[in-house]
């Protein structure tokens, strides 16, 4: 207990000495030991690296996860060292809504089938987005965070210790300077002609006391100078590692760019595939905004298949109903090209692939929107809006 009290008293004295030295420096009443230019440049470089790394890391997190509540939740789970629960992202949610809507409208309808195709693509984009977040967090954000929470904290700790050693050194210099000044004044008084032996004895005693104090201050200065130099070297070695940190962050940045490139390439390919699946929109997709004339498209034109005919609006071909009527009135069959993919809703329908050629024929009593399709040994109903009759 006695040892602890002495240590506490010594620490309190050191703290008070540093506080006095710091205050006098701010008031311009004490000299300050300046660091060498190389060390100052390293300190400035480390501080700049820390500031910009924090900004880049935070903005990358915003880019990957725009929802602030989700970011807070992930932060809490990370601090608790627990895995955050998996949540559906926005493209996946949009895709699910599209699929549900397409199922409700009917996969056999043009709009319902298109919604399902778009929904499946959106879900694939959502999966790619999830992979981008995971890859970027592992290869880019984690190294940046490790620097802020690890390497830079060590640098800041050693930098603070260097500051304390500098205050100790300057305080020792101040005490030595004061001791020298006091001894000089005592020597001047001791050399003066004073009467009385007692007075001379007192001055001699004072001179010896100040000389001992001066020697003690010199020894303290040598110790503090040695500790300051050693701490400056330790800090310098740590700061010189910032260049290696920049090289490491450059590799991480390349990984992040590759992850983004892969993500956008996947999204582009998904949309190309979707565009091919949708193919040429049938005339039933036309709206008044896309028509060249103010008159609406008759229902007979919306259900027509065959050779191109009277009008073409916005690159969408409207076919004549004559071939369809001839086919329905005759008992024969015709070849037809499939415009885009169709998934059969039940066993009475026939699944279709874009650009394939099948045989179609009419059956008495069948709905006007459907024909009977045949491909090899497979037969089933097919929607006429997915077909183009061939001559």
């Amino acid at each position: 207990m006695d040892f602890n009290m002495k240590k506490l008293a010594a620490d309190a004295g050191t703290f008070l000495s540093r506080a006095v030295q710091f205050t006098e420096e701010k008031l311009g009443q004490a000299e300050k030991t300046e660091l060498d230019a190389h060390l100052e440049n390293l300190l400035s470089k480390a501080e700049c690296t820390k500031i910009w790394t924090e900004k880049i890391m935070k903005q990358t997190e915003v880019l990957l996860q725009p929802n602030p509540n989700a970011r807070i939740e992930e932060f809490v789970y990370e601090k608790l060292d627990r895995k955050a629960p998996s949540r559906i992202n926005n493209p996946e949610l949009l895709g699910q809504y599209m699929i549900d809507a397409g199922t409700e409208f009917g996969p056999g309808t043009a709009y319902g089938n298109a919604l399902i195709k778009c929904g499946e693509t959106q879900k694939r984009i959502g999966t790619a987005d999830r992979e981008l977040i995971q890859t970027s967090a592992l290869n880019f954000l984690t190294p940046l965070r490790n620097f802020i929470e690890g390497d830079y904290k060590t640098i800041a700790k050693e930098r603070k210790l260097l500051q304390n050693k500098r205050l100790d050194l300057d305080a020792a210099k101040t005490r030595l300077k004061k001791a020298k000044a006091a001894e000089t004044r005592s020597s001047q008084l001791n050399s003066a002609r004073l009467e009385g032996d007692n007075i001379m004895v007192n001055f001699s005693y004072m001179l010896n006391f100040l000389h001992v104090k001066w020697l003690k201050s010199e020894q303290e200065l040598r110790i503090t100078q040695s500790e300051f130099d050693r701490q400056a070297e330790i800090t310098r070695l740590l700061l010189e590692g910032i260049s290696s940190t920049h090289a490491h962050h450059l590799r991480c940045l390349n990984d992040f760019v590759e992850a983004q490139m892969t993500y956008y390439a996947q999204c582009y390919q998904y949309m190309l595939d979707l565009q091919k699946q949708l193919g040429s929109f049938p005339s039933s997709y036309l709206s008044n905004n896309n028509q060249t004339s103010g008159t609406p498209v008759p229902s007979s034109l919306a259900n027509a298949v065959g050779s191109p005919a009277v009008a073409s609006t916005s690159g969408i071909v409207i076919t004549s109903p004559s071939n369809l009527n001839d086919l329905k009135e005759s008992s024969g069959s015709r070849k037809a090209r499939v415009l885009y993919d169709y998934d059969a809703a039940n066993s009475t329908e026939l699944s279709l692939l874009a650009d394939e050629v099948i045989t179609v024929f009419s059956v008495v009593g069948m709905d006007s929107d459907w024909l009977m399709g045949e491909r090899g040994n497979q037969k089933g109903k097919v929607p006429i809006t997915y077909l183009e009759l061939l001559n």
Side-chain angles (χ1 to χ4, degrees):
M1 184 67 181
D2 186 35
F3 173 78
N4 292 335
M5 287 300 297
K6 289 181 179 181
K7 185 176 184 303
L8 180 62
D11 291 342
T14 302
F15 175 79
L16 181 61
S17 175
R18 291 170 180 171
V20 171
Q21 177 66 28
F22 182 80
T23 303
E24 290 180 349
E25 289 176 357
K26 291 298 182 182
L27 297 176
Q29 299 176 358
E31 296 180 359
K32 176 182 177 181
T33 300
E34 299 294 341
L35 302 176
D36 63 84
H38 178 61
L39 187 57
E40 287 285 2
N41 290 334
L42 291 177
L43 288 171
S44 177
K45 184 178 180 181
E47 183 67 20
C48 182
T49 301
K50 179 251 186 182
I51 292 174
W52 286 109
T53 299
E54 284 183 333
K55 290 182 178 181
I56 292 173
M57 183 177 67
K58 291 179 180 179
Q59 194 57 39
T60 304
E61 291 174 346
V62 173
L63 173 67
L64 297 177
Q65 180 51 267
N67 188 345
N69 294 329
R71 293 200 303 272
I72 294 175
E73 182 184 32
E74 292 173 356
F75 175 79
V76 172
Y77 275 99
E78 181 182 353
K79 292 303 179 182
L80 296 176
D81 197 17
R82 296 178 59 185
K83 184 179 180 181
S86 178
R87 63 169 66 244
I88 188 171
N89 56 31
N90 291 330
E92 290 174 334
L93 184 60
L94 174 61
Q96 189 60 51
Y97 285 165
M98 286 183 170
I99 292 175
D100 293 343
T103 303
E104 184 73 20
F105 296 148
T109 64
Y111 183 46
N113 183 265
L115 278 174
I116 293 176
K117 296 295 183 184
C118 291
E120 293 172 348
T121 300
Q122 289 295 330
K123 294 187 78 171
R124 285 195 288 269
I125 292 176
T127 301
D129 185 68
R130 193 182 301 276
E131 293 175 354
L132 171 65
I133 293 176
Q134 294 175 351
T135 303
S136 301
L138 179 63
N139 297 334
F140 187 60
L141 289 178
T142 299
L144 298 186
R145 188 176 293 108
N146 289 340
F147 168 74
I148 296 297
E149 298 179 355
D151 295 346
Y152 189 79
K153 279 190 174 181
T154 303
I155 292 175
K157 179 182 177 181
E158 297 299 332
R159 181 178 183 177
K160 183 178 179 181
L161 189 56
L162 177 63
Q163 173 73 358
N164 291 336
K165 296 299 182 183
R166 185 197 63 76
L167 290 173
D168 293 341
L169 174 61
D170 289 337
K173 288 180 179 180
T174 302
R175 285 192 293 270
L176 179 60
K177 185 177 181 181
K178 291 179 179 179
K180 286 183 177 181
E183 186 179 17
T184 301
R185 288 195 300 270
S186 299
S187 298
Q188 292 174 352
L189 291 175
N190 192 38
S191 62
R193 293 183 177 181
L194 298 174
E195 297 179 356
D197 294 337
N198 291 333
I199 295 177
M200 294 300 296
V201 171
N202 290 336
F203 272 103
S204 298
Y205 176 77
M206 183 182 298
L207 181 61
N208 292 332
F209 173 77
L210 292 175
H211 182 70
V212 172
K213 187 175 181 181
W214 177 27
L215 294 176
K216 184 177 180 181
S217 298
E218 283 187 333
Q219 182 181 6
E220 182 184 7
L221 177 61
R222 287 193 296 270
I223 294 174
T224 54
Q225 182 69 57
S226 175
E227 291 178 349
F228 172 77
D229 293 340
R230 183 170 60 252
Q231 185 59 38
E233 182 66 16
I234 294 173
T235 307
R236 183 185 63 81
L237 291 175
L238 286 174
L239 292 173
E240 288 177 347
I242 292 295
S243 298
S244 299
T245 299
H246 285 186
H248 178 54
H249 288 180
L250 175 59
R251 292 192 295 270
C252 297
L253 180 61
N254 287 331
D255 293 340
F256 178 56
V257 171
E258 289 182 5
Q260 283 187 306
M261 182 182 65
T262 301
Y263 167 72
Y264 290 118
Q266 286 178 332
C267 293
Y268 178 71
Q269 186 61 48
Y270 292 153
M271 298 312 295
L272 281 181
D273 295 341
L274 176 62
Q275 189 180 43
K276 291 179 181 179
Q277 289 177 9
L278 294 179
S280 301
F281 288 103
S283 57
S284 59
Y285 275 124
L286 289 175
S287 63
N288 290 336
N289 293 333
N290 292 331
Q291 296 175 23
T292 55
S293 64
T295 57
V297 179
S299 60
S300 60
L301 288 180
N303 294 327
V305 292
S307 59
V310 292
S312 176
T313 57
S314 302
I316 302 175
V317 177
I318 302 176
T319 56
S320 171
S322 58
N323 290 335
L324 174 62
N325 292 334
D326 293 342
L327 178 61
K328 285 186 173 292
E329 291 173 359
S330 66
S331 58
S333 61
R334 293 281 297 277
K335 294 291 184 180
R337 183 179 68 87
V338 178
L339 296 177
Y340 50 95
D341 294 350
Y342 173 72
D343 294 329
N346 51 55
S347 59
T348 64
E349 299 178 5
L350 180 65
S351 296
L352 304 175
L353 295 176
D355 295 328
E356 72 171 328
V357 177
I358 63 173
T359 302
V360 294
F361 54 91
S362 178
V363 175
V364 178
M366 182 176 291
D367 189 279
S368 60
D369 292 335
W370 297 81
L371 289 173
M372 184 62 68
E374 182 176 348
R375 181 179 56 225
N377 296 328
Q378 298 178 333
K379 290 184 180 180
K381 295 191 301 180
V382 293
I384 62 175
T385 53
Y386 284 61
L387 306 173
E388 178 185 8
L389 290 180
L390 301 177
N391 294 326

